[in-house]
Amino acid sequence: MIYRRPPLRPRQALAFEGQPIGSVEVAVAQQLCAHGLLAADGAGWRVTAPFSALADTLREAGLLGAWRNELLPVLTDRGQRVGQIERATVRALGLATAAVHLTAQTPDGRTWVQQRAFNKPNDPGLWDTLMGGMVSAADTLAQALERETWEEAGLRLDQLHGLAHAGHLTIERPSGGTDDVGYTVERIDWFSATLPEGVVPKNQDGEVERFDCVDLTQLRADVVAGRYTLEAALILAPDLIDGLTAP
């Protein structure tokens, strides 16, 4: 599935060693070009310096959000890893991030969901799937699933019944307000499972306010009311969201 909204302003393609990796606003590209970090490449731009230098220059120019000290993989449009870069940089360069989500049911068919902590930088207090997190530069998808399931929900994978890959979702949308130079491209793999009776999630990293079990009627009403993150809404109730298409 693909959810796509166009950028607020025109963006041009960004490439590394001949492979597409993202997009950038012209004014931002020109700044980076002036520092010898990008070069014009037809109708777009190519990276000519280490990814760390791009990140440092964007930070110094005040074009990034909070610096995370967290490295994410740099991915081509085919998902090949060609490097790594500070997480705060990916939106400004339109780089695709990889994420993993877990949906979970109770034996009687209700859905486990989490409320994001109110101090989260993104979507504080909104409801989400049982678990959702980034795949870091050091992770495989399987490692991210295992780590994030423990950190966010305090669950080991062998506690889950019927764990299976359930789908792919790509989200492409502007990252913030009209003065934000970022564009979000997120590729999500999500998994589904059943939590056995008596198994209750318990957050380990302080990033979850609470967990709840909801029936389908309540879940759909809350999605319509805007109480869920876009990612969770697209996974849990895709028919309620405009702009979603088949791959």
Side-chain angles (χ1 to χ4, degrees), residues 11 14 23-25 27-33 35 37-38 50-65 67 85-95 181-182:
R11 302 179 68 88
L14 183 65
S23 66
V24 64
E25 290 190 3
V28 174
Q30 289 172 340
Q31 288 187 55
L32 295 173
C33 186
H35 286 83
L37 306 177
L38 298 185
F51 291 117
S52 58
L54 291 175
D56 290 340
T57 301
L58 289 167
R59 185 184 193 184
E60 292 167 4
L63 295 174
L64 304 180
W67 192 267
I85 198 166
E86 156 64 31
R87 178 172 175 173
T89 309
V90 297
R91 307 310 186 207
L93 298 178
L95 303 177
V181 301

Side-chain angles (χ1 to χ4, degrees), residues 54 176 197 227:
L54 291 175
E197 194 72 39
R227 299 189 181 103

Side-chain angles (χ1 to χ4, degrees), residues 1 3 103 105 111 113 127-129 169 190 214-226 228-244:
M1 296 188 297
Y3 174 86
T103 65
Q105 305 291 319
T111 300
V113 292
W127 290 89
D128 209 336
T129 57
L169 170 66
W190 86 84
V214 295
D215 62 26
L216 183 60
T217 299
Q218 183 64 56
L219 189 154
R220 291 173 65 83
D222 287 341
V223 167
V224 171
Y228 277 78
T229 67
L230 176 63
E231 295 88 341
L234 288 167
I235 291 170
L236 296 171
D239 60 302
L240 299 179
I241 309 299
D242 292 333
L244 186 64

Side-chain angles (χ1 to χ4, degrees), residues 12 41 48 87 95 122 159 164 187 192 212 214 225 241 245 247:
Q12 294 181 325
D41 184 20
T48 57
R87 178 172 175 173
L95 303 177
N122 299 319
Q159 294 178 271
R187 300 172 185 162
S192 63
D212 199 0
V214 295
I241 309 299
T245 62

Side-chain angles (χ1 to χ4, degrees), residues 63-92:
L63 295 174
L64 304 180
W67 192 267
R68 303 290 192 95
N69 289 314
E70 179 181 353
L71 293 175
L72 297 183
V74 177
L75 305 169
T76 69
D77 60 351
R78 296 184 178 182
Q80 178 186 356
R81 295 189 180 203
V82 293
Q84 58 187 26
I85 198 166
E86 156 64 31
R87 178 172 175 173
T89 309
V90 297
R91 307 310 186 207

Side-chain angles (χ1 to χ4, degrees), residues 122-203:
N122 299 319
D123 298 328
L126 292 186
W127 290 89
D128 209 336
T129 57
L130 176 63
M131 177 280 286
M134 292 285 192
V135 179
S136 77
D139 285 331
T140 64
L141 180 63
Q143 289 169 335
L145 174 64
E146 182 175 21
R147 186 195 69 250
E148 293 288 342
T149 298
W150 171 253
E151 290 181 356
E152 291 205 354
L155 298 169
R156 300 300 185 187
L157 297 186
D158 60 10
Q159 294 178 271
L160 310 178
H161 288 182
L163 178 65
H165 188 272
H168 297 278
L169 170 66
T170 297
I171 297 175
E172 301 177 3
R173 58 169 171 159
S175 300
T178 56
D179 60 344
D180 193 316
V181 301
Y183 192 66
T184 295
V185 180
E186 188 168 27
R187 300 172 185 162
I188 297 171
D189 283 87
W190 86 84
F191 294 76
S192 63
T194 298
L195 293 195
E197 194 72 39
V199 176
V200 177
K202 183 177 180 180
N203 180 243

